[in-house]
Amino acid sequence: MQCNRRKLMGVALATAAFALVGTATASAASVAEIKSKGTIVVGIQGDNAPWGFVNSSGTQDGFDADVATLFAKELGVKVQFQPLAVANRIPALTTGKVDILFATMAMTEERAKSIQYSKPYAANTIALYAAKADKAQAVADLAGWEIGVPKSSSQDKAVSDAVGSTATVRRFDDDAATIQALISGQVKAVGGNQFYGQRLDAAASGKYERKIEFLTTYNGVGTRLGEKDWNTTVNAFIDKIKASGELAAITKKWMGIELPKFPDSVPNIPFTVN
């Protein structure tokens, strides 16, 4: 009898799980459906200035917000932002909770198994940041250090690959928590994007500096695998704002740099749906 109850419970759980998956899949809308609905839900980072953050007026702002707003305008719809932490960006997309990701999505082979990348529209340099008083010119200098990174981020992979067993990598929920871990002394260094220097200087002027550059990554817009309509629409949009100078203007506004030269391809990461 107990065995039968377990079997019945297992069937019930499996049925419930299947129903949840079915619901999530059913909520994934096509480009045409979004145009008909009149609103696009954009997944964006909630606390990673200047990529994506909530400003003093309580409005989602930043580089990705500006690009996503232009995309919504291109579709002729309103934009609704859904702030996301690093680790839940891909699940939010694949379960249909958001329609698309403008969420600082650095291109990696592992992520490309779960989402479809667009052509690159931003670049990012991953580096080690630590106190000026601490010597760190090469990975060998990091022996015994604890280094903070946002879990499941491009920094996580870049730092983990670079330091191996030389240092201990500690993972935090997001960029804000990682930066706070350094400031509070929980870790001796952090692996951060090219804007960590500004954020650290704002928190403790003159105390921290960039030490070692690990990797330059490229960001793409994230859509669901196999959805050619989304991929084609996004790529056409990126080509358009590159040609018009709008992407260069947004890059200059938020990053203070000229538009980077983007690669035509990245090994094992397709930009288009065949």
Side-chain angles (χ1 to χ4, degrees), residues 22 56 169 239:
S56 58
V169 177
D239 286 341

Side-chain angles (χ1 to χ4, degrees), residues 47-118:
D47 189 14
N48 186 16
W51 297 101
F53 63 98
V54 177
N55 63 26
S56 58
S57 300
T59 303
Q60 189 72 46
D61 208 350
F63 174 87
D64 278 328
D66 278 3
V67 179
T69 298
L70 273 184
F71 182 64
K73 183 179 178 181
E74 180 73 12
L75 296 183
V77 300
K78 295 178 181 178
V79 62
Q80 176 185 325
F81 289 111
Q82 177 61 57
L84 302 169
V86 170
N88 67 358
R89 291 174 296 180
I90 290 176
L93 176 70
T94 57
T95 59
K97 292 179 181 177
V98 300
D99 299 312
I100 196 168
L101 292 175
F102 285 83
T104 327
M105 293 301 299
M107 295 178 172
T108 69
E109 289 185 42
E110 188 62 29
R111 288 176 181 168
K113 297 174 184 177
S114 301
I115 65 169
Q116 174 65 52
Y117 280 110
S118 69

Side-chain angles (χ1 to χ4, degrees), residues 48-50 127-132 134 145 147-150 155 174-212:
N48 186 16
L128 184 86
Y129 293 86
K132 289 182 178 180
D134 293 326
W145 286 33
I147 302 171
V149 296
Q155 294 102 291
D174 52 31
D175 293 278
T178 302
I179 289 171
Q180 186 56 39
L182 177 59
I183 294 169
S184 64
Q186 295 178 63
V187 295
K188 193 168 183 176
V190 293
N193 62 41
Q194 59 204 22
F195 301 109
Y196 267 45
Q198 297 173 19
R199 298 178 70 176
L200 286 166
D201 203 49
S205 181
K207 182 175 181 179
Y208 302 101
E209 66 182 5
R210 181 186 293 196
K211 299 288 189 178
I212 304 170

Side-chain angles (χ1 to χ4, degrees), residues 152-166:
S152 303
S153 65
S154 54
Q155 294 102 291
D156 189 344
K157 178 172 173 51
V159 174
S160 298
D161 288 350
V163 304
S165 60
T166 301

